[in-house]
Amino acid sequence: MVTEFIGPFPWETISRKLYGRRPRLGAIAFVGRDGPDLLRHFRHGDVLVVNASKEAVASHATSPDALAELIAKGIEVKSSPTLHAKVLVGEGIAIVGSANASRNSTESLEAVIVTDDKAAIVRARDFVAGIAADANPIDDDLLTELRRVWEENRRAPVPGVTGRSAEAGLLLRWPVPVLLCPVEDDDLTDDEREAMTADVEQTPQFPLFGYQLGDDQDGYDQATVLLRYDPTTKWIYEPVVVFGSVAPIPGRDDGAYQLVRHKRRQQGRSATRLITRLGGALGTQLQSAVADAVDGDVELPRELAVELLQGIWQLDIDEQVGERRD
């Protein structure tokens, strides 16, 4: 008997382990647009149960187009609206873990157990078969309805399912305001900074810190991107994404802050050098924004914002909200 633990990126192994092991059964809650490729060894007569509830489709966790592609291959695809398990069973093998069949799952930290233990395989097969017996068949009429739900709803990012969340990184999704905002040196102490993040789980690659607000600032909406500009040094600090709501500075009678997140090891840039590097219309737009930022926050035009965030600071930007991208 061999049992393997596979992680943190197990999909290559999962796909390989399923080759030639018919008949195959699966219960995978969420199947994204890349699901048919990840489940490429499923064939005519195999059975797959998914969560194709309207809620799952509205959040773009399960793709109707992916389901249609699987059905066209002769796979029996059914829906169980409360399914959250991820179990795959083939001849002589069972795979159980956290991985959904989506591209974002291939980019997330997942883990599975692969075993050829006969008792475990029987129990896993019975588990999937039991769910399939009570699940709803997905026919053309249901697919038509699910496509309507997909098109009418903008997806919400779900880590490992439809995307990385603001809690795990800096995947930026339009529409999002990108502001050039003038800042001065804050007067936060080390103890105050520590207290601001004491109850928040830190992600090493994208650490959080407290951003002190000015007396005349009301704060920013969450997910707003801030490019903090120092008018004295003409320096633009690395981008930060607003994470938390406005809160009082710990231990003070006045003053407020918000938590913001940035990418580790990112560095700021000289505004003058950025203007020169961008050149043309974008350089002119940044030069104008820098001049206006002396008097307050300036929202940057989209093309300029994309070039700064993606071209200069190499951050991920999702410009396909509402389209097929799982």
Side-chain angles (χ1 to χ4, degrees):
M1 188 268 286
V2 176
T3 298
E4 299 178 77
F5 176 89
I6 309 295
F9 301 105
W11 261 111
E12 182 179 350
T13 300
I14 294 172
S15 297
R16 186 176 69 252
K17 292 284 188 181
L18 289 173
Y19 177 75
R21 296 180 179 273
R22 300 195 66 186
R24 285 167 286 260
L25 288 83
I28 296 188
F30 306 120
V31 177
R33 193 63 191 87
D34 286 359
D37 179 62
L38 296 172
L39 299 171
R40 56 187 172 273
H41 296 309
F42 270 66
R43 291 291 186 268
H44 185 279
D46 292 339
V47 177
L48 178 66
V49 187
V50 304
N51 183 338
S53 63
K54 290 184 178 180
E55 291 79 6
V57 173
S59 67
H60 289 201
T62 294
S63 164
D65 285 347
L67 302 184
E69 186 175 337
L70 292 166
I71 292 170
K73 293 171 63 176
I75 300 166
E76 183 181 1
V77 182
K78 307 181 84 172
S79 175
S80 176
T82 58
L83 179 64
H84 197 261
K86 294 86 179 173
V87 180
L88 294 165
V89 187
E91 182 65 30
I93 194 170
I95 303 171
V96 182
S98 65
N100 292 294
S102 68
R103 186 184 69 177
N104 284 293
S105 183
T106 68
E107 299 172 351
S108 299
L109 302 181
E110 307 277 17
V112 300
I113 292 291
V114 180
T115 184
D116 64 1
D117 179 76
K118 293 181 179 180
I121 293 170
V122 169
R123 295 189 67 177
R125 187 176 292 276
D126 289 346
F127 172 81
V128 177
I131 294 174
D134 296 327
N136 302 314
I138 298 178
D139 56 20
D140 290 342
D141 289 340
L142 181 54
L143 280 174
T144 298
E145 173 63 13
L146 294 179
R147 284 191 172 106
R148 182 193 64 78
V149 172
W150 174 284
E151 294 297 332
E152 291 181 358
N153 290 273
R154 286 180 53 189
R155 64 182 182 177
V158 182
V161 182
T162 61
R164 288 165 286 169
S165 76
E167 296 182 11
L170 263 66
L171 180 69
L172 310 177
R173 300 177 182 274
W174 301 110
V176 57
V178 179
L179 306 180
L180 187 69
C181 53
V183 296
E184 299 177 357
D185 291 338
D186 64 46
D187 62 353
L188 297 173
T189 67
D190 290 342
D191 288 343
E192 289 170 340
R193 294 180 195 279
E194 185 175 347
M196 289 175 182
T197 58
D199 297 325
V200 182
E201 184 176 357
Q202 289 276 16
T203 302
Q205 299 92 333
F206 302 97
L208 285 162
F209 67 91
Y211 172 57
Q212 185 175 4
L213 298 171
D215 294 337
D216 58 346
Q217 288 182 294
D218 296 326
Y220 301 97
D221 292 336
Q222 291 195 33
T224 298
V225 181
L226 305 181
L227 287 169
R228 299 157 295 150
Y229 172 59
D230 187 332
T232 302
T233 61
K234 300 189 184 301
W235 188 260
I236 299 178
Y237 293 94
E238 73 280 3
V240 297
V241 179
V242 177
F243 176 77
S245 55
V246 177
I249 296 175
R252 295 196 189 185
D253 295 329
D254 56 10
Y257 76 97
Q258 283 184 273
L259 288 177
V260 297
R261 191 184 292 280
H262 68 106
K263 187 173 183 179
R264 188 181 179 190
R265 296 194 178 95
Q266 287 278 22
Q267 296 181 344
R269 301 286 195 280
S270 160
T272 303
R273 290 183 179 179
L274 278 178
I275 292 168
T276 301
R277 176 173 174 178
L278 292 172
L282 294 183
T284 300
Q285 288 178 2
L286 181 57
Q287 186 173 29
S288 176
V290 165
D292 293 342
V294 176
D295 299 320
D297 297 345
V298 177
E299 183 165 357
L300 301 180
R302 176 166 170 164
E303 185 179 0
L304 173 59
V306 169
E307 181 58 31
L308 288 172
L309 298 179
Q310 188 169 280
I312 302 297
W313 276 285
Q314 304 295 304
L315 297 178
D316 292 325
I317 297 179
D318 182 354
E319 297 191 77
Q320 303 180 55
V321 172
E323 300 181 10
R324 298 188 317 186
R325 188 174 185 266
D326 294 90

